[in-house]
């Protein structure tokens, strides 16, 4: 079933059937103010933190017509018929109600037509603002005059802390109340406390408030829900809340002649009375809202425009140019903080998650990446490890760390991860080579627990310290010890167990750090890197098991991921990272990836391992808690798909690389949405594997590292855009059916218009590179030959 389509020109996904298999969401806002909205206007808002700044309420894992949201109700005062401007929550019959939702870059527009009335509601958070706007336009498309009541409705939380609001009801039901102030409902909680967050408002600008309600129970009524609220059916009665539950409901009366329209804005924010009044005055002129929307679109479209492609595959174009890119920014901004699955309880940034997420936006917004890299370097402990959880209140160089009672109690993370700091190497290397900013290596950044002024405190010193952490925590075979876990949090090999995946990460880290050491003429350190790299290589060669790399060693020496094991005999990540790190020989690389294709590949992506654990799980195989072929227990975990795409691209196997991209792409499930369930324009955390009765069903939308890894696999792998210290290499690995395609890329402040010609249907291999009419030697386009605008032709 198809529920919508991609509109690449406007950078939107258009939902034409409102009864989607699940709420299909979009993100509005910035780190200052976040909002999540579904195609039927369900969702919630928060200030800075989904855990501690919750402004409006949402009920997770709940029925689709009882979800709080941003609703606009319309009532015909002559017939008493009422409906919502979005199809839900009222859910009028599909044969009489026409609806369309356009999710764009940080805005959503929901349009509907019913009973001769057209409604258009545009939701967005102005760029850099800490409030949201619902811009409403109501048009009488009928031949007769109409008298309408239009009511905007939202539900406040009683406490900004999500858990307190939802669970500690003996407290939170008795701390809030609402007031009416001419043009807005004001909600106050803990009114007698000196808390700057205690005031919120829901206001109406550009129209008169005729009736209002600040009491949710009075609005909804007994044994009703948002689909049939008594306050809409019978009319609002100017009720206000004292204890129990607050809401904001503002009603305006409209008299519209045939063809006439009315336009106005609802506003929501955590602001005091004076600020609320100022905002309502500003947006009483609807042109100010329109100007803010254009500013917002200009900002996002400029970011996305730093790389655009035109290939023979429209789905690839839509994902790379718009939705995969935009999702990368969303995960970059919000990490794993708040969605319709993440309830907002995480009280900080996961180290590996955040450092990985940076990679997805480096080629689009390197200045944003730089600031986030510095932030994450400041969350590196002076022993070289990353803080497992970086608190929202992060305060370097005065932070506590694992092993400190205060950190362990507050974060519930009492030990380090083997892989956290190793993600810094590809992320920093990508940033430096994308920008050419070699001076970044010498910038001084504090550690989380101390500030060092010598080389140890520089970015280069931080990277050295990360290597030190791995070398100071080796297992019995001489590879990085498992500590708490590696990337797979469900695989606990033991503190002295060893992860082959992490060992390949260290190989890659050494490889990249050598480039920086050579640049700095740090010859003594180069010798050291060569020495430890040689020892690690000798150990890793013993981990080859015929047609695959094993997954690792348990603390007791048992091997995980042996060929012939009854369960979990084949794991994806060691095979791909053997190639990404450059360690696997050509024969090992091709053999291991053929094993991946044979044992793990499905029509919906590649399983993270196979067979799932059921009867032979060891104590540290925590994924056995999941059903088979689900999540880490043999599911198609989405994040490693990007590494597989990159690995096959590095092997020059463009057909296979694109097959993996296609199989795991949300866009390719657009016409099979009832199987996928979640959005066809955003990656999810995982898809159920081939042994599930619901193979192909996907879960945990939007906030996943998949956005970043698939972007890197697509850009560096399929498109072959690989920055180096001295310039840019373009070496595509593409489907043989692509006979030509074009790219536009901003690189170090210069514009590159790239044309790729592939008349013979090659999967990879570049015959020649021409820059501004002159052929160059080799593949490296050196920065020094680039003009402000450049024409590049690649012949394959």
């Amino acid at each position: 079933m198809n529920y919508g389509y991609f509109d690449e020109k406007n950078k939107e996904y258009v939902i034409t059937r409102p009864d989607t298999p699940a709420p299909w969401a979009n993100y509005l806002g910035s780190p200052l103010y976040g909002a999540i909205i579904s195609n039927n206007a369900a969702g919630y808002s928060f200030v800075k933190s989904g855990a501690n700044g919750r402004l409006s309420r949402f009920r997770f894992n709940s029925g689709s017509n009882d979800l709080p949201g941003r609703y606009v109700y319309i009532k015909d005062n002559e017939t008493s018929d009422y409906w919502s401007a979005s199809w839900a929550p009222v859910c009028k019959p599909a044969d009489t109600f026409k609806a369309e939702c356009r999710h764009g870059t940080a805005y959503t527009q929901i349009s509907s037509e019913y009973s001769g009335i057209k409604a258009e509601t545009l939701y967005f958070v102005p760029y850099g603002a800490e409030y949201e706007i619902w811009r409403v336009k109501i048009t009488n498309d009928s031949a007769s005059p109409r008298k309408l009541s239009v009511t905007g409705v939202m539900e406040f939380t009683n406490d900004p802390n999500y858990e307190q609001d939802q669970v500690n009801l003996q407290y939170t039901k008795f701390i809030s109340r609402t007031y009416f102030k001419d043009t807005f409902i004001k909600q106050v909680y803990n009114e007698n406390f000196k808390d700057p967050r205690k005031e919120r408002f829901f206001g109406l600008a550009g129209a008169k408030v005729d009736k209002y309600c600040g009491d949710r129970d009075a609005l909804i009524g007994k044994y009703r829900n948002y689909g049939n609220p008594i306050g809409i059916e019978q009319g609002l009665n100017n009720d206000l809340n004292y204890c129990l539950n607050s809401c904001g409901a503002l009603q305006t009366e409209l008299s519209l002649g045939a063809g006439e329209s009315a336009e106005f804005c609802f506003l929501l924010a955590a602001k005091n009375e004076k600020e609320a009044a100022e905002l309502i005055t500003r947006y009483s002129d609807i042109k100010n809202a329109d100007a803010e929307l254009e500013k917002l679109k200009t900002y996002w479209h400029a970011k996305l425009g730093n790389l655009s492609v035109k290939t023979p595959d429209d789905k690839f174009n839509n994902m790379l140019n718009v939705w995969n890119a935009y999702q990368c920014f969303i995960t970059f901004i919000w990490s794993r903080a708040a969605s319709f699955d993440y309830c907002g309880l995480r009280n900080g940034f996961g180290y590996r998650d955040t450092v990985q997420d940076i990679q997805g936006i480096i080629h689009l917004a390197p200045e944003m990446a730089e600031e986030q890299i510095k932030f994450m370097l400041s969350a590196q402990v002076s022993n070289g490890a990353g803080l497992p959880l970086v608190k929202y209140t992060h305060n370097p160089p005065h932070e506590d760390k694992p092993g400190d009672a205060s950190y362990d109690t507050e974060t519930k993370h009492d030990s380090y991860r083997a892989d956290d700091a190793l993600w810094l190497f590809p992320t920093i290397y990508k940033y430096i080579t994308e920008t050419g900013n070699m001076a970044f290596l010498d910038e001084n950044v504090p550690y989380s627990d101390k500030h060092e002024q010598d080389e140890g405190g520089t970015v280069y010193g931080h990277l050295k310290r990360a290597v030190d952490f791995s070398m100071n925590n080796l297992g019995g075979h001489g590879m990085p010890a498992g500590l708490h876990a590696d990337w797979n949090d469900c695989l606990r090999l033991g503190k002295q167990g060893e992860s082959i995946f992490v060992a390949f990460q260290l190989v890659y880290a050494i490889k990249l750090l050598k480039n920086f050491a050579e640049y700095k003429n740090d010859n003594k350190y180069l010798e050291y890197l060569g020495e430890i790299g040689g020892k690690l290589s000798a150990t890793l060669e013993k981990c080859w098991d015929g047609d695959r790399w094993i997954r690792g060693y348990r603390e007791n020496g048992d091997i995980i991921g042996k060929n012939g094991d009854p369960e979990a005999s084949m794991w994806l990540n060691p095979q791909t990272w053997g190639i990404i790190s450059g360690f696997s020989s050509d024969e090992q690389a091709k053999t291991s990836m053929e094993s991946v294709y044979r044992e793990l590949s499905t029509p919906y992506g590649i399983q993270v391992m196979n067979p799932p654990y059921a009867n032979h799980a060891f104590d540290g195989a925590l994924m056995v808690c999941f059903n088979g072929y689900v999540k880490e227990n043999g599911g198609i975990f989405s994040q490693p798909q990007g590494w597989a795409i990159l690995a096959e691209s590095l092997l020059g196997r463009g057909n296979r690389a694109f097959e993996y991209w296609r199989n795991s792409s949300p866009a390719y499930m657009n016409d099979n949405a009832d199987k996928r369930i979640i959005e066809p324009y955003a990656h999810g955390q995982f898809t159920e594997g081939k042994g599930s009765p619901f193979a192909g069903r996907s879960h945990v939308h939007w906030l996943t590292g998949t956005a970043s890894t698939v972007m890197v696999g697509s850009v560096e792998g399929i498109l072959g855009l690989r920055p180096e210290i001295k310039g840019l290499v373009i070496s595509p690995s593409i489907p043989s059916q692509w006979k030509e395609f074009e790219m536009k890329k901003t690189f170090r402040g210069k514009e590159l218009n790239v044309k790729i010609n592939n008349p013979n249907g090659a999967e990879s291999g570049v015959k020649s590179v021409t820059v501004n009419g002159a052929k160059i030697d080799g593949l490296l386009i050196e920065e020094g030959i680039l003009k402000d605008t450049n024409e590049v032709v690649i012949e394959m």
Side-chain angles (χ1 to χ4, degrees):
M1 179 66 71
N2 181 308
Y3 291 83
Y5 64 93
F6 291 92
D7 180 350
E8 186 179 0
K9 179 181 178 181
N10 291 304
K11 294 180 168 53
E12 296 174 337
Y13 185 84
V14 185
I15 299 169
T16 54
R17 279 195 55 170
D19 56 337
T20 50
W24 285 1
N26 195 16
Y27 279 78
L28 318 177
S30 71
L32 298 174
Y33 185 104
I36 304 169
I37 185 168
S38 80
N39 55 300
N40 281 308
Y44 60 97
S45 304
F46 52 94
V47 179
K48 297 181 182 178
S49 168
N52 296 307
R54 197 65 69 87
L55 175 58
S56 59
R57 187 175 284 158
F58 190 73
R59 282 181 278 282
F60 295 89
N61 202 22
S62 183
S64 59
N65 67 339
D66 194 29
L67 297 175
R70 302 170 180 84
Y71 298 130
V72 176
Y73 293 91
I74 303 166
K75 181 180 179 181
D76 187 319
N77 290 328
E78 295 178 340
T79 66
S80 296
D81 190 17
Y82 66 90
W83 60 97
S84 42
S86 50
W87 178 65
V90 176
C91 301
K92 287 292 188 179
D95 60 344
T96 60
F97 190 97
K98 181 180 178 181
E100 178 185 87
C101 172
R102 286 181 170 266
H103 283 322
T105 48
Y107 67 90
T108 287
Q109 178 167 306
I110 299 175
S111 303
S112 64
E113 295 179 24
Y114 176 78
S115 186
I117 301 298
K118 182 177 181 180
E120 301 165 90
T121 311
L122 183 66
Y123 301 90
F124 67 101
V125 176
Y127 177 71
E130 295 184 51
Y131 55 89
E132 65 186 79
I133 297 173
W134 313 356
R135 187 203 186 287
V136 180
K137 182 178 181 180
I138 306 294
T139 302
N140 178 9
D141 277 347
S142 70
S144 304
R146 303 290 289 273
K147 294 184 181 298
L148 307 171
S149 296
V150 180
T151 309
V153 170
M154 54 75 58
E155 183 174 336
F156 288 109
T157 59
N158 286 334
D159 190 288
N161 179 275
Y162 166 73
E163 192 167 25
Q164 288 289 310
D165 182 66
Q166 293 287 309
V167 176
N168 192 9
L169 301 183
Q170 60 83 29
Y171 162 68
T172 57
K173 286 171 67 175
F174 310 105
I175 64 174
S176 78
R177 65 183 303 182
T178 53
Y179 298 88
F180 178 65
K181 299 290 180 177
D182 297 325
T183 55
F184 60 93
I185 291 281
K186 181 179 84 168
Q187 188 224 24
V188 183
Y189 65 92
N190 295 140
E191 187 169 18
N192 299 320
F193 286 7
K194 294 181 179 180
D195 186 337
R197 301 173 303 170
K198 69 182 181 181
E199 294 185 31
R200 296 95 163 267
F201 85 92
F202 179 64
L204 176 60
K208 179 188 175 185
V209 176
D210 291 296
K211 292 183 179 180
Y212 60 85
C213 181
D215 185 313
R216 189 197 70 184
D217 293 342
L219 170 70
I220 301 298
K222 295 179 180 179
Y223 304 103
R224 291 172 174 252
N225 56 43
Y226 280 103
N228 60 347
I230 197 167
I232 302 301
E233 186 175 298
Q234 298 183 3
L236 301 182
N237 292 312
N238 298 343
D239 297 289
L240 291 170
N241 178 60
Y242 187 86
C243 302
L244 304 183
N245 293 287
S246 302
C247 74
L250 300 173
Q251 181 177 300
T252 187
E253 304 292 335
L254 303 180
S255 294
L256 297 178
E260 287 186 344
S261 298
E263 298 178 89
F264 44 87
C265 295
F266 292 104
L267 303 170
L268 176 64
K271 302 284 187 182
N272 60 35
E273 283 189 38
K274 180 175 181 294
E275 293 168 320
E278 290 172 352
L279 287 173
I280 289 170
T281 299
R282 181 189 310 173
Y283 292 107
S284 292
D285 185 347
I286 204 76
K287 293 179 182 178
N288 289 329
D290 295 340
E292 291 287 2
L293 178 65
E294 288 307 308
K295 180 180 176 182
L296 185 70
K297 287 184 178 181
T298 298
Y299 171 81
W300 279 111
H301 292 186
K303 292 293 184 198
L304 302 185
N306 285 325
L307 175 66
S308 62
V309 302
K310 186 178 181 181
T311 76
D313 192 291
D314 289 341
K315 295 179 177 64
F316 186 84
N317 300 340
N318 274 294
M319 291 302 294
L320 196 87
N321 294 341
V322 184
W323 287 101
N324 191 178
Y326 184 59
Q327 188 180 4
C328 283
F329 278 106
I330 296 304
T331 58
F332 174 85
I333 292 169
W334 294 117
S335 188
R336 309 296 178 269
S339 71
F340 287 160
D341 294 293
Y342 289 103
C343 301
L345 288 183
R346 179 180 274 191
N347 59 347
F349 299 98
Y351 198 90
R352 85 164 64 95
D353 292 342
T354 304
V355 176
Q356 289 171 337
D357 290 343
I358 296 170
Q359 295 181 23
I361 62 109
I362 288 172
H363 64 295
L364 298 172
E367 72 289 348
M368 294 174 67
E370 179 183 353
E371 291 306 309
Q372 192 76 321
I373 289 170
K374 290 178 182 177
F375 176 75
M376 296 311 295
L377 284 168
S378 78
Q380 185 184 11
V381 185
S382 59
N383 66 7
L387 290 173
L389 192 74
V390 185
K391 292 178 282 187
Y392 292 134
T393 57
H394 182 58
N395 184 32
H398 309 294
E399 278 295 348
D400 46 9
K401 56 188 181 296
D404 296 338
S406 55
Y407 184 87
D408 298 350
T409 300
E410 182 176 356
T411 69
K412 307 297 189 294
H413 293 278
D414 59 0
S415 56
Y416 296 110
R417 272 65 171 165
D419 66 315
D420 276 353
L422 292 175
W423 293 107
L424 289 169
F425 291 88
T427 302
I428 290 173
Y429 190 82
K430 292 176 195 301
Y431 165 74
I432 288 178
T433 56
E434 181 69 35
T435 61
N437 182 14
M438 297 301 296
F440 186 67
L441 288 171
D442 297 318
E443 291 199 29
N444 196 277
V445 181
Y447 291 94
S448 64
D449 56 338
K450 65 171 62 174
H451 201 164
E452 299 185 11
Q453 298 297 333
D454 58 8
E455 183 192 79
T458 65
V459 172
Y460 184 55
H462 276 259
L463 295 176
K464 284 185 170 182
R465 205 68 66 84
V467 170
D468 289 345
F469 180 79
S470 290
M471 297 309 297
N472 291 332
N473 291 275
L474 298 177
H477 298 84
M479 295 185 294
L483 304 181
H484 179 81
D486 68 4
W487 170 87
N488 189 332
D489 285 317
C490 287
L491 183 63
R492 307 292 173 85
L493 298 172
K495 188 173 183 179
Q496 292 301 307
E498 292 158 291
S499 163
I500 308 305
F501 180 13
V502 176
F504 282 140
Q505 284 187 276
L506 182 57
V507 168
Y508 195 37
I510 291 169
K511 176 182 177 180
L512 298 179
L513 194 51
K514 280 182 176 179
N515 291 327
F516 293 151
E518 288 173 358
Y519 173 80
K520 297 180 70 65
N521 294 316
D522 193 350
N523 294 322
K524 185 175 180 179
Y525 193 66
L526 273 169
E527 291 180 12
Y528 170 70
L529 291 177
E531 177 186 338
I532 62 173
K535 291 180 180 178
L536 184 58
S537 295
T539 301
L540 274 168
E541 285 293 358
K542 300 174 184 177
C543 300
W544 178 251
D545 188 22
D547 64 349
R548 68 198 65 197
W549 297 103
I550 63 171
R551 186 59 172 84
Y553 295 97
R554 291 181 61 200
E555 206 163 26
N556 65 3
D558 287 351
I559 297 174
I560 303 301
K562 294 195 309 292
N563 194 348
D565 281 350
E567 295 173 352
S569 60
M570 182 65 185
W571 296 73
L572 175 58
N573 290 348
Q575 322 313 322
T576 56
W577 272 84
I579 297 166
I580 294 169
S581 67
F583 184 83
S584 292
S585 67
D586 186 62
E587 182 180 354
Q588 288 170 331
K590 291 178 179 177
T591 300
S592 61
M593 292 307 289
E594 284 303 315
S595 296
V596 166
Y597 193 73
R598 182 183 65 251
E599 299 189 29
L600 300 179
S601 182
T602 82
Y604 308 107
I606 312 167
Q607 293 176 210
V608 71
M609 61 84 147
N610 198 50
Y613 279 117
N615 302 311
H616 300 275
F618 63 99
D619 290 344
L622 304 186
M623 65 282 291
V624 74
C625 71
F626 299 119
N627 292 334
Y629 304 98
V630 167
K631 286 180 75 78
E632 287 93 337
N633 196 20
I636 301 167
F637 218 83
S638 302
Q639 189 174 8
Q641 309 302 308
W643 298 328
I645 293 165
L646 180 58
E648 287 288 3
S649 297
L650 293 173
L651 291 178
R653 305 201 300 191
N655 285 332
R656 184 68 59 81
F658 192 76
E659 179 181 352
Y660 286 154
W661 184 91
R662 182 185 65 237
N663 287 352
S664 61
S665 173
Y668 264 89
M669 292 293 285
N670 192 54
D671 294 333
N672 200 4
D674 286 315
K675 179 179 285 291
R676 176 174 171 79
I677 304 297
I678 64 174
E679 299 91 342
Y681 49 86
H683 289 281
Q685 184 194 79
F686 77 96
T687 298
E688 293 178 48
K690 60 187 178 185
S692 165
F694 298 98
R697 183 171 60 179
S698 299
H699 304 272
V700 191
H701 68 160
W702 272 96
L703 298 186
T704 164
T706 312
S708 175
T709 62
V710 172
M711 178 60 79
V712 171
S714 300
V715 173
E716 295 185 16
I718 294 172
L719 299 179
L721 294 167
R722 298 169 196 161
E724 296 187 1
I725 290 173
K726 294 183 178 181
L728 178 67
V729 168
I730 305 178
S731 183
S733 288
I734 58 176
S736 54
Q737 297 93 333
W738 288 10
K739 299 303 173 65
E740 62 179 20
F741 68 97
E742 298 174 359
M743 300 185 283
K744 292 185 177 182
K745 176 175 172 57
T746 302
F747 180 67
R748 301 185 186 179
K750 308 295 175 65
E751 299 301 318
L752 278 66
N753 299 314
V754 184
K755 177 69 180 295
I756 290 87
N757 295 319
N758 185 29
N760 298 319
E763 295 182 56
S764 60
V766 173
K767 290 182 179 179
S768 66
V769 179
T770 302
V771 181
N772 298 322
K775 285 188 177 181
I776 65 171
D777 294 329
L779 301 181
L780 177 65
I781 303 172
E782 295 191 13
E783 181 182 7
I785 70 171
L786 293 176
K787 302 176 182 179
D788 290 340
T789 302
N790 304 269
E791 303 299 323
V792 180
V793 179
I794 307 292
E795 297 289 344
M796 296 182 66

